[in-house]
Amino acid sequence: MKHSAVQRTPPPPRIRGARALFTGIAAVMLWICAGPAWGQVVMHAPDEVIGEGEYLVRRTIVDPVTQQPWASKPYRMIVYGDGKQAIADYEGLTDAEGRTLSARFPKPVADRDVAARPVLGTGDYKLFVTLAQPSGKRIKNQFYLFLFGGRIFAGLSDDQGYTAEIRVRVAESIPAQVFVPPTWGASSLAAWREEVVILNRTVEVETPQERMALLEQVVTLGEQQSGETLAKAMSGHLRDAQFANAVQMPEALPALEEQWLQMNIDQALADAKEKTGSLLDSARLRAIVKVWEKEREAGLKLSDPRIAQSALMRQAIALALNLPEAQRLLAGDLLFVTRILLDAGDTDTAAKITRVNMLDEYLDHDNEGNARQLAILSEIALAQGNAGKARVLFSLANALQATYGFKQPFSEAQPDELAGLRPRFPDGGPKDMSISADAIAELRKQCVITVTPGIPLFVVGKKDLSAMAEAMRSIRYLETIPALDAMLTHGVLKKGSYRRSLSCNGAPAESVTVSDDDLKIVRSFSMQESILALEDEEVLKAVVKDVETLPLPPDVVKHWADVLAVFLEYAQLPPGQYPMRKLLKPFEFKFRF
């Protein structure tokens, strides 16, 4: 008779977001197998002998906390073959000495290829880990923590680096973390055993109220004891677990929010350079947003009415509407507040916050943050009935995403603003630009500035560099960048003589003669944001013979700057949708100086 492995269908998805947190052990490898159980599981008695062959596999399992035999309790034993694929998978109850069933195999099985784990809890979702160094050496007797769904489990890995297998009953997949403190071992677990035993019950009880009560017992126990306690050593993880349970308990959330807010404020005061006993309004707003970030990590959606209707939101709105100009540095926090208000349908307050803090005029983030800001402004414009403005703002956010290649969602901590808006603009693809008449008019006011004499490299902007630095932060200026792409690619100008109306580069306005060859050269310019460069070697050689290196004759470069200037001022380009061309091409200035 062949050994009886459990028959299973293909494995389901993992527990969502399973990740490892390490302090000092930077090179630990984890195998996380987490997901709902599947198929029919046969529970084996400890005196069973299964399979055929001269090689017998049987294991004695110990309690991951007490290290005593795992007597008359559930276990799972997986046997791996040469290809590291499971060749047998058994479940059952151990005997009084913690021993499993006996399984016979025709070939020898190495100790490291037998994962015999105690099973705790019940339910469709399971989590277990194997700890090993990059060399493959297993990490035995290592203290580990599982944190997921408001539950915490602590134990020691066995001689083969295997942890216990935790099972829970949940309605949907949940984020999981594995924490492996490098300096915690068997002695730590022994010292904190009372706390660990209480914590580990959180994987067995069913309700968030029961889990919250157990967590509070651990906190109280830690406060009553002197010296280092587990509660003190992992206070942040305990608080995370409390939040994860509180979001399922409406009556518990407000008090926990106040505790977390006060802790954030105390920490900010401790970190402040000037010990004044009070916080700047921007720092207080940051403390409130950190509470919401913690709640979102715990599974509470920003659209939950408990956030929009909370006392914290009333404080946040008051702060956001009255920030002194010098403190408007945390634009991300202001956008966080507006996001919640938009989800709650309070467009008027969201718009007021963006207007008062000039977020509807200036950008002050990295490109991903700017895209998020533009998407939120687009959503506000839609709600206010300004579809044209909304389309342009959404187009700018799309242009940033397409140009810089970042992907949505912007991060685990930010919602996917663009994806939520995209169905509202079905006729505009991710790489299309909506060019407004205002953007074209603003582009016509810009100078073409030569960066270095003799180098075909130009900046489109204000002739006053200090004024340009300020202008480049404005949304109005940002609109000119996709407009510049569209103008150079699709703008129409006939050859002839044109008089520049702008005085740039310190020179008076003058007439410029534009030839057909000049117009072809205009199409050849590469573009990166507001920088234009003539990189095409063939184009350069066709105009300036035998050119191998730069600089070029100054009069040639000046002529191209003049041609670009009159082209941007006089070329015809109707407002509308245009595909991005130059912004998406690599920019590589490759000529030698």
Side-chain angles (χ1 to χ4, degrees):
M1 184 177 70
K2 294 185 178 180
H3 64 271
S4 174
V6 175
Q7 299 300 311
R8 301 181 185 274
T9 55
R14 296 173 179 269
I15 282 182
R16 176 172 61 86
R19 59 194 179 103
L21 305 178
F22 304 109
T23 305
I25 300 181
V28 175
M29 297 188 299
L30 291 180
W31 290 273
I32 298 177
C33 180
W38 62 95
Q40 183 66 38
V41 176
V42 177
M43 295 297 290
H44 297 281
D47 57 355
E48 285 188 60
V49 180
I50 296 178
E52 295 179 346
E54 59 180 302
Y55 298 98
L56 185 70
V57 172
R58 195 182 196 192
R59 291 291 180 267
T60 298
I61 299 176
V62 299
D63 187 301
V65 178
T66 67
Q67 301 299 292
Q68 297 302 308
W70 188 249
S72 304
K73 293 181 180 179
Y75 73 90
R76 183 181 183 191
M77 185 169 74
I78 304 174
V79 181
Y80 296 94
D82 294 338
K84 304 306 178 185
Q85 297 295 317
I87 60 174
D89 190 344
Y90 309 107
E91 294 193 26
L93 294 177
T94 59
D95 64 12
E97 297 180 9
R99 292 177 299 192
T100 68
L101 59 68
S102 300
R104 291 190 176 277
F105 294 89
K107 295 180 179 180
V109 178
D111 287 344
R112 64 182 287 120
D113 291 335
V114 180
R117 310 172 186 271
V119 172
L120 295 98
T122 59
D124 293 334
Y125 282 84
K126 59 188 179 296
L127 173 64
F128 58 88
V129 171
T130 303
L131 301 180
Q133 298 289 357
S135 63
K137 182 180 179 181
R138 303 291 176 84
I139 305 175
K140 64 180 181 179
N141 297 324
Q142 170 63 54
F143 193 117
Y144 63 86
L145 288 164
F146 290 157
L147 306 98
F148 58 103
R151 303 162 178 85
I152 299 178
F153 181 86
L156 288 180
S157 60
D158 66 15
D159 288 344
Q160 299 302 322
Y162 296 121
T163 69
E165 180 170 313
I166 309 302
R167 296 185 179 179
V168 293
R169 185 181 296 112
V170 292
E172 59 183 15
S173 61
I174 53 178
Q177 297 176 343
V178 182
F179 182 51
V180 185
T183 59
W184 297 2
S187 59
S188 301
L189 189 141
W192 298 333
R193 181 170 297 172
E194 186 177 3
E195 295 170 272
V196 168
V197 169
I198 298 172
L199 276 182
N200 287 359
R201 289 182 57 204
T202 61
V203 305
E204 299 174 350
V205 298
E206 295 292 335
T207 68
Q209 288 82 1
E210 291 175 295
R211 292 193 291 272
M212 183 70 86
L214 291 168
L215 294 170
E216 289 174 353
Q217 283 185 43
V218 173
V219 172
T220 301
L221 187 61
E223 291 174 347
Q224 293 173 347
Q225 297 177 355
S226 60
E228 184 76 341
T229 65
L230 181 60
K232 295 172 184 176
M234 56 175 294
S235 59
H237 296 305
L238 280 172
R239 198 170 296 108
D240 289 346
Q242 288 176 314
F243 262 106
N245 290 301
V247 297
Q248 304 174 56
M249 304 164 55
E251 72 282 1
L253 195 57
L256 197 59
E257 285 179 335
E258 288 299 325
Q259 293 175 20
W260 181 251
L261 175 61
Q262 190 57 54
M263 191 195 72
N264 291 339
I265 290 173
D266 291 345
Q267 185 62 54
L269 285 170
D271 294 341
K273 294 181 180 178
E274 298 181 6
K275 307 299 182 182
T276 62
S278 62
L279 279 182
L280 296 175
D281 288 346
S282 57
R284 193 168 292 276
L285 180 61
R286 172 94 282 268
I288 292 174
V289 170
K290 286 174 69 175
V291 175
W292 291 331
E293 289 173 342
K294 182 64 64 178
E295 290 176 344
R296 184 170 56 188
E297 290 173 5
L300 190 66
K301 297 184 182 300
L302 293 183
S303 56
D304 192 298
R306 285 179 287 176
I307 293 182
Q309 298 170 12
S310 67
L312 286 187
M313 175 53 76
R314 292 191 290 275
Q315 294 179 48
I317 291 174
L319 290 167
L321 291 176
N322 295 282
L323 280 180
E325 186 172 355
Q327 295 183 37
R328 294 173 190 168
L329 302 175
L330 299 177
D333 292 336
L334 293 168
L335 292 176
F336 203 106
V337 177
T338 61
R339 174 73 272 158
I340 296 172
L341 292 170
L342 286 173
D343 287 344
D346 191 354
T347 304
D348 290 342
T349 305
K352 189 174 181 180
I353 288 174
T354 60
R355 184 171 61 254
V356 166
N357 292 283
M358 303 180 75
L359 295 178
D360 58 347
E361 295 183 43
Y362 291 98
L363 300 167
D364 199 17
H365 313 284
D366 56 22
N367 289 310
E368 294 185 28
N370 288 338
R372 179 169 177 251
Q373 179 176 337
L374 290 164
I376 287 177
L377 292 172
S378 176
E379 188 172 344
I380 291 174
L382 275 175
Q384 293 176 331
N386 193 338
K389 180 179 180 181
R391 180 180 293 278
V392 170
L393 291 166
F394 176 73
S395 173
L396 290 174
N398 254 337
L400 285 174
Q401 185 186 54
T403 302
Y404 293 100
F406 55 84
K407 298 179 180 179
Q408 294 286 336
F410 300 112
S411 69
E412 289 184 3
Q414 301 293 358
D416 190 340
E417 307 285 359
L418 285 180
L421 270 177
R422 196 158 277 129
R424 309 287 293 272
F425 304 99
D427 57 333
K431 298 180 180 179
D432 288 343
M433 304 174 293
S434 183
I435 308 301
S436 67
D438 288 343
I440 295 171
E442 186 69 19
L443 180 61
R444 298 196 191 283
K445 298 176 185 178
Q446 307 302 314
C447 292
V448 177
I449 304 165
T450 303
V451 176
T452 304
I455 307 299
L457 190 67
F458 311 98
V459 174
V460 177
K462 303 293 183 183
K463 64 178 180 179
D464 182 345
L465 292 181
S466 61
M468 184 175 176
E470 177 69 15
M472 289 177 71
R473 294 179 51 239
S474 72
I475 295 175
R476 173 171 289 188
Y477 177 79
L478 181 64
E479 288 185 52
T480 67
I481 294 176
L484 178 60
D485 183 321
M487 183 70 78
L488 294 176
T489 307
H490 303 284
V492 176
L493 185 70
K494 295 181 179 179
K495 67 177 181 180
S497 181
Y498 297 86
R499 184 171 183 82
R500 288 170 40 198
S501 59
L502 290 176
S503 175
C504 299
N505 289 326
E510 57 187 24
S511 294
V512 178
T513 300
V514 179
S515 67
D516 286 333
D517 286 340
D518 291 330
L519 294 174
K520 292 179 182 178
I521 291 173
V522 166
R523 305 286 190 207
S524 301
F525 272 89
S526 299
M527 175 181 175
Q528 180 175 352
E529 296 184 357
S530 58
I531 299 174
L532 300 179
L534 192 56
E535 303 179 276
D536 193 311
E537 188 173 359
E538 296 305 316
V539 171
L540 276 170
K541 287 185 176 181
V543 179
V544 182
K545 306 299 183 185
D546 301 323
V547 171
E548 294 293 341
T549 61
L550 301 176
L552 301 177
D555 59 321
V556 173
V557 175
K558 179 181 181 303
H559 177 69
W560 286 340
D562 291 339
V563 169
L564 283 170
V566 298
F567 187 88
L568 298 181
E569 185 174 355
Y570 291 102
Q572 299 302 303
L573 181 76
Q577 290 280 115
Y578 293 91
M580 277 181 274
R581 291 287 187 265
K582 295 182 178 295
L583 283 170
L584 298 182
K585 293 181 179 179
F587 185 90
E588 183 179 359
F589 199 72
K590 53 196 173 186
F591 284 91
R592 299 185 299 276
F593 285 73

